[in-house]
Amino acid sequence: MSWLADGVCDPQCLNEECNFDHGDCVEYTIETANSSTAIDTNATGACTSIYNKFSRLTLRIGNMQLQAQYLEDVRTELEIQKQEISDSFDFLEGAYAELDASFQQLQEGQNQLQLDLEQLDAANVILSEEKTDLENAKDQLEIENAAIQILYEQLEDAFVALEVERDSLRVERDQLELDTEALQDETVVLEEEKMQLEQEKAQLQLEKNALSTDKARLENEKTELERERNELRRQKKCSCFRDQ
């Protein structure tokens, strides 16, 4: 029974068809090539002898222990690699989930961007209409500005006229102040004349009262004279009757 690549050169495998026992007989092949000795690969006596079998078995047991240690190391390394692969898989799962979430966000962002673009197009149409309205308003404002300029010039002319009229009014005001002062002087004179007239009126009232008293006295005297005249007439008539 032969073991390929077990660390023991099996003579029956020392050929090119067996790849020189898959590397176990490479050094042996080099040594025999240097010593120029040949090995009969068809000889089976040496391979089937109890001693050789025991020797190969001993070597194979040691090699099996090495292989078991190697396999344990390989298993440990594979476990580590498996854990690393599992961690990498978890990481990739998380990254995939993040990428999927990012893709969803990008999709939503694209949809939102499409909506924003549609809104911007609508806003652009509105802005174009507002621009047209503003241009029309600008033309209207220019017309109104020209009218305001004309009105401003008219106001300036009116302001100049008002300035002239204000100067004229100031002259009239000064003249009125002079007239007022003259009237005040005349008022003082009139007040003095009024007081004098009041005094004369009081004097005339006194004279009137005196005349009224004289008139009443004269009226009494007239009445007395009328009575005396009537009395004389009566007496005269009586004397005539007596003479007859």
Side-chain angles (χ1 to χ4, degrees):
M1 183 177 182
S2 299
W3 296 85
L4 296 176
D6 58 357
V8 178
C9 180
D10 297 314
Q12 63 269 30
C13 298
L14 185 57
N15 50 59
E16 292 182 359
E17 288 79 7
C18 295
N19 196 17
F20 300 101
D21 201 1
H22 287 275
D24 291 343
C25 296
V26 174
E27 295 181 356
Y28 185 77
T29 303
I30 294 172
E31 289 177 357
T32 50
N34 292 332
S35 62
S36 66
T37 59
I39 300 176
D40 186 5
T41 57
N42 295 320
T44 58
C47 291
T48 57
S49 66
I50 297 174
Y51 177 78
N52 289 334
K53 288 182 178 180
F54 181 77
S55 298
R56 287 198 301 273
L57 182 60
T58 302
L59 291 173
R60 285 171 181 169
I61 290 173
N63 289 330
M64 288 175 65
Q65 291 176 352
L66 292 175
Q67 288 178 357
Q69 182 64 37
Y70 172 75
L71 290 174
E72 182 66 24
D73 294 339
V74 170
R75 188 182 68 80
T76 303
E77 185 176 355
L78 289 175
E79 288 292 333
I80 294 172
Q81 291 179 358
K82 178 182 178 182
Q83 184 64 36
E84 291 177 352
I85 290 172
S86 178
D87 295 339
S88 299
F89 181 78
D90 294 337
F91 174 76
L92 289 175
E93 284 289 334
Y96 178 78
E98 291 179 357
L99 287 174
D100 186 64
S102 300
F103 178 77
Q104 294 294 331
Q105 291 178 356
L106 288 174
Q107 188 68 28
E108 293 175 358
Q110 184 179 3
N111 296 331
Q112 184 64 37
L113 183 61
Q114 185 66 29
L115 293 175
D116 293 340
L117 288 175
E118 293 176 358
Q119 292 177 356
L120 285 175
D121 291 336
N124 190 18
V125 174
I126 295 173
L127 287 175
S128 298
E129 294 176 355
E130 291 180 352
K131 180 181 178 181
T132 303
D133 294 337
L134 288 174
E135 289 178 352
N136 295 330
K138 179 182 177 182
D139 296 337
Q140 185 65 30
L141 286 174
E142 288 178 353
I143 295 172
E144 292 179 357
N145 189 21
I148 290 172
Q149 185 66 29
I150 295 172
L151 181 61
Y152 179 75
E153 292 175 356
Q154 293 176 354
L155 288 175
E156 285 185 345
D157 296 337
F159 181 76
V160 173
L162 287 174
E163 289 288 334
V164 174
E165 187 176 357
R166 185 187 66 179
D167 294 336
S168 177
L169 290 174
R170 284 178 178 175
V171 173
E172 291 180 1
R173 183 192 65 186
D174 295 338
Q175 184 63 39
L176 286 174
E177 288 179 353
L178 294 174
D179 294 340
T180 301
E181 292 178 356
L183 287 173
Q184 288 177 352
D185 295 337
E186 291 179 0
T187 301
V188 173
V189 173
L190 289 173
E191 288 291 334
E192 293 176 355
E193 291 178 354
K194 180 180 178 181
M195 291 177 63
Q196 185 176 359
L197 289 173
E198 290 290 338
Q199 292 177 358
E200 291 177 356
K201 180 179 178 181
Q203 183 65 31
L204 289 173
Q205 186 66 34
L206 293 174
E207 291 178 356
K208 180 181 178 181
N209 294 332
L211 290 173
S212 297
T213 303
D214 292 340
K215 181 180 178 181
R217 181 176 59 77
L218 291 173
E219 289 290 335
N220 293 327
E221 290 178 355
K222 180 180 179 181
T223 301
E224 184 65 24
L225 289 173
E226 287 291 332
R227 188 180 65 77
E228 290 177 355
R229 188 181 65 178
N230 291 329
E231 182 66 25
L232 288 174
R233 285 179 181 176
R234 187 180 65 78
Q235 290 176 3
K236 183 177 180 181
K237 287 181 179 181
C238 289
S239 63
C240 288
F241 289 144
R242 288 177 182 171
D243 289 334
Q244 293 178 355

